[in-house]
Amino acid sequence: MGLTLLVMAAGMGSRFGGLKQLSPINNFNETIIDYSVFDAKRAGFTKVVFVIRKEFESDFKNQITHKYKNHIEVDFVYQDTNDLPQNFNTNPNREKPWGTGHAIWCCRKYITQNFAVINADDFYGSESFKVIAKYLNILTPSELKNQSMVGYKLINTLSDNGSVSRGICTVNSEQQVTSITERTQIEKKGDTIVFTEDDKETILGAEDITSMNMFGLTPATFEAFENDFKSFLTERGSELKSEFYLPTVINNLIARNQSGVTVLPTNSKWFGMTYKEDKAIVENNIKKLTKSGEYPEKLWNN
């Protein structure tokens, strides 16, 4: 049947300064995206769909996807503010796309297989792709009841260079997600991890299950994304900066009892490029993984 990897790469990377998705992290000008696609391919994925802004297309093809020729099927989807459900219009003054939920909905015509969703600028680790591929392979594309999410330990997802935003999950005894709450300004302070909201600090647990937007979904979810997006646009469509998020749709599916979301635990350590200072850490981690034999020095040979 095959599996599809959906890579959300439409963000500009404002905190990082520039298009961080294209920043090389090894001696062969390969990027975090290259490692994700490499891991996905060896886990059994046969296609990758990139959600990008139209103006980045030539840079993307020149710096990244030309490497994948003869290795894996590639498609591009453009996240455009004007790609909306029928009878909805965008505010002409809006500049940014509508967020991660919209990014997925934009792929509705390009994905017919079960698929995993990832961010372009996050390194997820090979184990994560293996566990999500194994789960996706047992589902039919029309199945809505069983979706999945790779769950990271919060301690494995922090940046040494500043605060981060994370989806903190509540999980029941059957390893099903019951809710995902977006927490901002999460950082380590001494031996504790805290998030700040309304100038008040709250302690989080190091082992708290955390979403890094790595979800395993079936094509049956596209209808849910469309329905929720319509509701969102009805309420907030005129706003210039409102965003429609992927975890919101997941929460809604759970709340309506339309779907269960199984946590697929991983011990993988996340790393990514939220801040410019993170680049050196990412490069160092890649060197260690290469030295240990996890990856070849050069991933893609044409």
Side-chain angles (χ1 to χ4, degrees):
M1 182 174 68
L3 300 172
T4 296
L5 178 67
L6 191 167
V7 183
M8 294 188 289
M12 280 295 291
S14 54
R15 279 182 295 185
F16 184 74
L19 198 57
K20 58 185 170 178
Q21 293 90 338
L22 303 183
S23 189
I25 56 171
N26 69 13
N27 294 331
F28 298 96
N29 285 326
E30 291 174 323
T31 65
I32 284 181
I33 292 173
D34 290 320
Y35 281 85
S36 291
V37 176
F38 183 85
D39 281 336
K41 184 178 185 292
R42 62 180 173 175
F45 287 77
T46 54
K47 179 179 176 179
V48 56
V49 173
F50 289 98
V51 183
I52 61 171
R53 303 271 282 277
K54 178 76 171 140
E55 60 264 35
F56 302 151
E57 182 181 16
S58 61
D59 285 342
F60 238 86
K61 287 182 174 174
N62 292 336
Q63 293 185 51
I64 294 183
T65 55
H66 73 280
K67 303 167 196 153
Y68 308 150
K69 195 176 178 187
N70 304 323
H71 291 291
I72 193 167
E73 184 185 346
V74 175
D75 243 330
F76 287 97
V77 172
Y78 308 113
Q79 189 175 7
D80 189 314
T81 51
N82 295 311
D83 188 3
L84 298 175
Q86 204 170 356
N87 301 323
F88 286 91
N89 296 302
T90 188
N91 185 321
N93 296 316
R94 187 177 178 101
E95 293 176 7
K96 282 181 72 177
W98 294 95
T100 51
H102 178 237
I104 289 174
W105 181 74
C106 288
C107 299
R108 63 202 178 279
K109 296 173 184 170
Y110 294 82
I111 294 178
T112 56
Q113 303 168 319
N114 293 343
F115 62 103
V117 181
I118 63 168
N119 297 329
D121 46 9
D122 289 328
F123 180 93
Y124 290 94
S126 61
E127 184 196 16
S128 304
F129 287 93
K130 287 173 192 163
V131 297
I132 208 164
K134 186 178 177 183
Y135 192 86
L136 286 170
N137 275 322
I138 62 173
L139 303 179
T140 62
S142 60
E143 192 169 336
L144 186 61
K145 268 299 192 195
N146 296 294
Q147 310 303 320
S148 58
M149 181 205 86
V150 175
Y152 288 77
K153 294 173 183 173
L154 178 59
I155 189 70
N156 287 339
T157 73
L158 303 179
S159 169
D160 292 333
N161 294 307
S163 64
V164 295
S165 298
R166 295 287 179 257
I168 305 298
C169 303
T170 309
V171 181
N172 67 18
S173 58
E174 295 169 339
Q175 289 303 296
Q176 297 278 303
V177 179
T178 54
S179 68
I180 304 172
T181 306
E182 191 70 19
R183 297 296 187 201
T184 57
Q185 289 184 270
I186 300 174
E187 57 193 320
K188 209 170 171 201
K189 291 197 171 177
D191 292 332
T192 58
I193 302 169
V194 300
F195 76 90
T196 305
E197 191 172 60
D198 299 328
D199 296 324
K200 181 175 174 258
E201 286 186 357
T202 305
I203 293 175
L204 292 168
E207 303 272 316
D208 284 358
I209 295 292
T210 306
S211 165
M212 296 303 300
N213 267 359
M214 190 176 196
F215 288 93
L217 304 176
T218 63
T221 57
F222 284 121
E223 187 179 347
F225 276 91
E226 174 149 343
N227 291 337
D228 284 4
F229 191 35
K230 284 177 178 175
S231 300
F232 171 87
L233 289 169
T234 301
E235 290 174 30
R236 305 187 61 188
S238 61
E239 297 173 22
L240 292 180
K241 294 192 174 175
S242 58
E243 291 195 42
F244 174 62
Y245 293 115
L246 159 60
T248 304
V249 181
I250 300 297
N251 271 333
N252 290 345
L253 280 169
I254 294 166
R256 292 191 295 256
N257 286 321
Q258 286 180 285
S259 183
V261 178
T262 299
V263 172
L264 308 173
T266 181
N267 289 313
S268 287
K269 186 168 176 8
W270 167 93
F271 49 88
M273 292 199 281
T274 308
Y275 300 94
K276 271 190 173 173
E277 296 79 6
D278 291 335
K279 190 171 189 293
I281 295 168
V282 171
E283 289 170 345
N284 193 40
N285 284 333
I286 290 294
K287 277 180 188 163
K288 286 180 188 170
L289 289 167
T290 304
K291 199 172 178 183
S292 74
E294 180 71 33
Y295 298 100
E297 286 204 11
K298 187 181 184 187
L299 300 177
W300 301 98
N301 292 299
N302 288 321

